[in-house]
Amino acid sequence: MNHSLGSNEQSRVNAGWRRQLRAPSLQEAFRTIPIPTTGPGWLGFLRKLLAFTGPGYLIAVGYMDPGNWATDLAGGSQFYYSLLSIVIISSLMAIFLQHLALKLGIATGRDLAQACRDHFSPAFGVFLWIGCEIAIAACDLAEVIGSAIALNLLFGIPLTWGVCLTAADVLAVLFLQRKGFRFLEALVIVLIGVIALSFGIQVVLSKPDLAALLRGCLPSPEILHNREMLYVAIGILGATVMPHNLYLHSSISQTRNFEPTPEGRREAVFFGTIDVTVALLFALLINAAILVVAAATFYRTGHHEVAEIQDAYRLLSPLLGVGLASTLFAVALLASGQNSTLTGTLAGQIVMEGFLDIRLRPVIRRLITRLIAILPAVIVTVCAGESGTAQLLILSQVILSLQLSFAVIPLVMFTSDKIKMGELVNPLSFKLAGWTMAVVIALMNAYLVWQVISGTGSS
């Protein structure tokens, strides 16, 4: 056990679990960020909130990665504003599930991977680990391809070379972690700002139909009856509620050195929930902006098949009549890909260490994660060139969605267990909401698989 945990806290975090916790999650960053004592008035409140602010934005990165771009572009160009409701619903689900992940880490001292390894049989634990690694590889694949496309659009670097260059991201992560976890969080927030500014300008330039936009915020029954629309909707769900983010958040919530008392844990959950809620509402606005720009620019002008990011780049400036539009789009894409890489590599480390209880050198762990994503990306870009990237990006998000149940169900199960969670156990309303979401996600994925296998549904 890490020396940061006293004997009383060791007893608490081991209550309800089969094995003693040998080492905290993400040990190099565990409780490295001090929390100030609350001062008088709003100033003291804001100082404490600022200390807890950061993990939510690392989580939010995964909700605006290049995979989201592909699904949002496809949704907006093909179905106008109809899938805007899915973006909103998925984001609200994400806020709730990330709150549960935050509580799990703070209440139990374990991340979700460590909790699964302790609770389930070794064989089932390995099954969950393999599924999670597939999900991380799918996510990483989207980030690699997105960054490569951005490099190609901005600097003319061939896609295959751009894919290979993304391996250098490993060095950036290692450098930032040596500087401290706060440096990593600061860079992520700056890059999110670049994405937000770029798309804010594009939304204004695209002049969306506000009445149609508001109608799109309400879910339509057609989503379930139209197989293509459902496929993209499931992709949006997978791109928004990302399974590896649940593992990541349950770990990085422990980077704050909060008081190991019931009051300290409740305070950490309170401020952590504000952090992740604000960050994910920000991500919701960016995702909605991508879909709105696609609907207002491409669908309205008859370009209904714009799923390729490269096509969107080429069409934006001519259709909007502003030369800067395409450049802003590519800059935001590069920021998105680089941002997602930083958090994806952290998630890979947490999952491998948590499920397998082995600790590799960070550079080895990140190279493994990157190679798993780079190899299929190189194969696709060599064989299919630009034409295969959009399909691969959307497929990667559907894979994420199919893996989501295997993270959500254990998360709801653990956070509803009074012995494991203590005073932070889910109230009845949260249990009902959590299990409802788990069932809905599982049913939507099962329905999609049945539609694809049976060939039913409208085209």
Side-chain angles (χ1 to χ4, degrees):
M1 179 64 70
N2 184 279
H3 65 82
S4 297
L5 299 181
S7 58
N8 290 338
E9 194 174 2
Q10 289 184 37
S11 300
R12 181 191 60 78
V13 300
N14 289 318
W17 301 95
R18 295 187 300 178
R19 302 182 184 91
Q20 187 177 28
L21 183 62
R22 292 199 304 113
S25 181
L26 208 63
Q27 192 167 10
E28 62 270 26
F30 180 73
R31 298 203 176 169
T32 55
I33 298 174
I35 302 299
T37 55
T38 305
W42 279 101
L43 184 59
F45 177 87
L46 291 175
R47 285 181 65 239
K48 185 158 283 192
L49 178 60
L50 182 62
F52 278 100
T53 296
Y57 292 89
L58 266 68
I59 299 304
V61 163
Y63 295 85
M64 57 183 86
D65 76 342
N68 292 72
W69 291 48
T71 53
D72 291 336
L73 286 172
S77 65
Q78 292 178 47
F79 308 114
Y80 206 32
Y81 298 110
S82 298
L83 293 182
L84 193 57
S85 61
I86 300 298
V87 174
I88 295 170
I89 292 169
S90 298
S91 297
L92 295 177
M93 289 173 61
I95 290 171
F96 178 80
L97 293 173
Q98 294 296 164
H99 167 74
L100 297 189
L102 164 77
K103 282 209 306 181
L104 178 70
I106 289 172
T108 70
R110 287 166 167 77
D111 61 51
L112 183 56
Q114 291 173 325
C116 287
R117 179 180 180 274
D118 181 282
H119 185 84
F120 297 115
S121 67
F124 191 66
V126 170
F127 169 77
L128 289 176
W129 169 66
I130 292 172
C132 193
E133 289 288 0
I134 291 171
I136 290 174
C139 180
D140 221 19
L141 181 62
E143 294 152 8
V144 165
I145 290 178
S147 294
I149 291 172
L151 291 170
N152 174 258
L153 297 176
L154 288 170
F155 308 112
I157 298 173
L159 282 179
T160 305
W161 283 106
V163 166
C164 295
L165 281 174
T166 60
D169 295 335
V170 173
L171 301 176
V173 176
L174 291 172
F175 173 76
L176 287 166
Q177 277 204 302
R178 287 198 187 100
K179 290 286 186 181
F181 207 75
R182 270 306 211 190
F183 280 88
L184 192 63
E185 293 173 345
L187 176 61
V188 162
I189 291 172
V190 168
L191 291 174
I192 289 175
V194 171
I195 300 168
L197 179 62
S198 299
F199 270 102
I201 294 172
Q202 289 178 76
V203 168
V204 173
L205 293 175
S206 66
K207 300 175 182 176
D209 181 338
L210 292 180
L213 188 156
L214 291 175
R215 286 195 298 271
C217 294
L218 300 175
S220 166
E222 185 186 0
I223 295 171
L224 294 178
H225 302 308
N226 185 318
R227 192 174 67 200
E228 281 71 22
M229 189 180 287
L230 178 65
Y231 183 76
V232 177
I234 293 287
I236 290 174
L237 178 66
T240 305
V241 190
M242 305 185 83
H244 73 274
N245 264 347
L246 301 176
Y247 294 93
L248 177 63
H249 201 188
S250 60
S251 175
I252 61 176
S253 63
Q254 301 175 57
T255 57
R256 270 53 186 176
N257 192 19
F258 55 85
E259 286 293 325
T261 61
E263 294 76 17
R265 289 189 287 274
R266 279 195 291 267
E267 184 180 71
V269 170
F270 173 76
F271 284 105
T273 299
I274 295 175
D275 169 49
V276 76
T277 300
V278 172
L280 292 189
L281 287 175
F282 205 64
L284 164 61
L285 293 176
I286 291 175
N287 273 319
I290 297 171
L291 190 144
V292 166
V293 168
T297 307
F298 305 133
Y299 183 94
R300 204 161 56 186
T301 56
H303 297 83
H304 300 316
E305 301 301 322
V306 179
E308 297 282 356
I309 289 175
Q310 297 93 323
D311 291 339
Y313 172 82
R314 295 187 190 104
L315 289 169
L316 268 175
S317 285
L319 292 177
L320 293 178
V322 179
L324 185 61
S326 292
T327 302
L328 286 171
F329 180 86
V331 169
L333 177 62
L334 184 60
S336 171
Q338 295 308 296
N339 232 355
S340 304
T341 293
L342 298 176
T343 57
T345 50
L346 277 178
Q349 177 184 344
I350 290 161
V351 165
M352 177 171 277
E353 291 180 354
F355 273 113
L356 304 185
D357 197 27
I358 59 174
R359 299 187 182 274
L360 299 176
R361 290 176 58 198
V363 66
I364 301 298
R365 166 64 247 184
R366 290 178 175 84
L367 282 174
I368 292 172
T369 304
R370 180 58 73 232
L371 286 174
I372 291 172
I374 284 177
L375 291 178
V378 168
I379 292 169
V380 169
T381 52
V382 169
C383 297
E386 293 185 4
S387 62
T389 55
Q391 291 87 343
L392 192 60
L393 283 172
I394 294 176
L395 175 61
S396 72
Q397 304 311 298
V398 173
I399 291 171
L400 284 172
S401 187
L402 292 174
Q403 289 293 332
L404 186 55
S405 294
F406 297 103
V408 170
I409 291 174
L411 176 64
V412 176
M413 184 191 312
F414 297 148
T415 53
S416 300
D417 187 321
K418 173 67 174 176
I419 298 176
K420 288 179 169 61
M421 294 291 293
E423 72 276 358
L424 293 178
V425 66
N426 289 336
L428 179 60
S429 59
F430 277 40
K431 292 178 185 178
L432 292 174
W435 285 117
T436 299
M437 287 182 191
V439 170
V440 167
I441 290 167
L443 288 177
M444 286 187 70
N445 286 323
Y447 185 62
L448 173 67
V449 172
W450 178 78
Q451 289 267 42
V452 171
I453 292 174
S454 64
T456 59
S458 61
S459 299

